[in-house]
Amino acid sequence: MNKRIRNLFILGLLCIFMILGLTACGEDGIKVSSTNALARKLASDSAVKINVSKDMILDEPIVINGEKEIVGSGKIVAAIEDSEELYMITVADGGKLTIGGSVKIDASGLMGAVHVQKGGSAIVKGKAVVKNASIVAANALVEGSLEVQGGNLKAAKGHNVINKNTTTISGGKVTGSGEKYAGIYNEGTLSQTGGKVSEAYNNISNMKGS
């Protein structure tokens, strides 16, 4: 009887995962199989590591609360019309977002990619890619803090990174910008101990601080 109850319990958990769009959970994080499941996990207040293993279409912006890490080899692609000044992902006050693995955040030229609000923080590492921000936004708008430890922020149509507070580059790449725009448009505190800022119209435009 106990074995039967245990098996029914396991079966019930598997059904719950399927309903929520979650396929597995382990050291590699919770694997999500739908955009709705991804949005729910990112918007929750709890600390979650999310494995994105396939391409997903994001049709509305997401606000990050709590601590989130996105890993995997899939792509999160923006498909939000008339949204050039908006951002795919906003990290709220008290939130923390780590983008790692080889996951790609692709703004599709329609909007900005990541907005880190005051009191929020973001890390880009591994082989992650953040790209294709619209001309009036950026791959990263930093009003909190950004650490580029690895990966590549690239192919922005305007400024690649707009730093209004604190950005630290210890690895990875910030590659390219739109014509007459900057790889890093700096209005705050910028520290570079490694990594590479290159191939932009102006690699770094320092407006304030150093």
Side-chain angles (χ1 to χ4, degrees):
M1 180 63 73
N2 288 338
K3 183 177 180 180
R4 182 172 180 271
I5 292 173
R6 183 184 64 189
N7 289 340
L8 287 172
F9 178 72
I10 292 172
L11 181 60
L13 285 178
L14 290 173
C15 289
I16 290 171
F17 280 130
M18 290 176 66
I19 291 169
L20 294 177
L22 310 177
T23 58
C25 181
E27 290 184 1
D28 292 333
I30 297 172
K31 291 185 179 180
V32 293
S33 58
S34 71
T35 303
N36 287 338
L38 172 68
R40 284 196 302 269
K41 284 298 176 184
L42 287 175
S44 71
D45 291 331
S46 57
V48 182
K49 185 176 184 179
I50 302 166
N51 190 312
V52 177
S53 58
K54 65 179 186 178
D55 293 356
M56 295 190 179
I57 305 298
L58 192 67
D59 55 12
E60 62 180 29
I62 293 174
V63 177
I64 300 289
N65 296 293
E67 187 172 342
K68 304 295 185 298
E69 182 174 1
I70 304 174
V71 296
S73 57
K75 182 191 296 185
I76 303 171
V77 183
I80 307 170
E81 299 295 337
D82 301 320
S83 57
E84 281 191 334
E85 296 181 11
L86 299 178
Y87 282 78
M88 294 175 67
I89 299 173
T90 295
V91 185
D93 183 9
K96 179 179 179 180
L97 174 63
T98 300
I99 305 170
S102 56
V103 74
K104 297 176 179 63
I105 308 294
D106 187 348
S108 304
L110 298 174
M111 60 194 310
V114 179
H115 177 192
V116 186
Q117 293 184 335
K118 185 176 180 180
S121 63
I123 297 171
V124 180
K125 66 179 187 178
K127 297 180 180 179
V129 174
V130 181
K131 66 179 184 176
N132 287 339
S134 68
I135 195 168
V136 296
N139 283 326
L141 169 60
V142 186
E143 296 173 323
S145 68
L146 170 67
E147 295 180 44
V148 182
Q149 300 175 356
N152 194 354
L153 294 91
K154 69 177 188 176
K157 295 182 181 299
H159 296 307
N160 197 330
V161 174
I162 299 174
N163 179 45
K164 294 178 176 288
N165 195 356
T166 304
T167 292
T168 302
I169 301 172
S170 59
K173 300 177 182 178
V174 177
T175 309
S177 70
E179 186 177 355
K180 299 185 179 179
Y181 290 90
I184 300 178
Y185 185 84
N186 182 42
E187 296 180 340
T189 300
L190 174 64
S191 173
Q192 184 177 3
T193 60
K196 189 175 183 180
V197 182
S198 64
E199 300 177 30
Y201 188 88
N202 291 303
N203 286 332
I204 299 175
S205 292
N206 268 311
M207 310 306 293
K208 180 182 177 182
S210 60

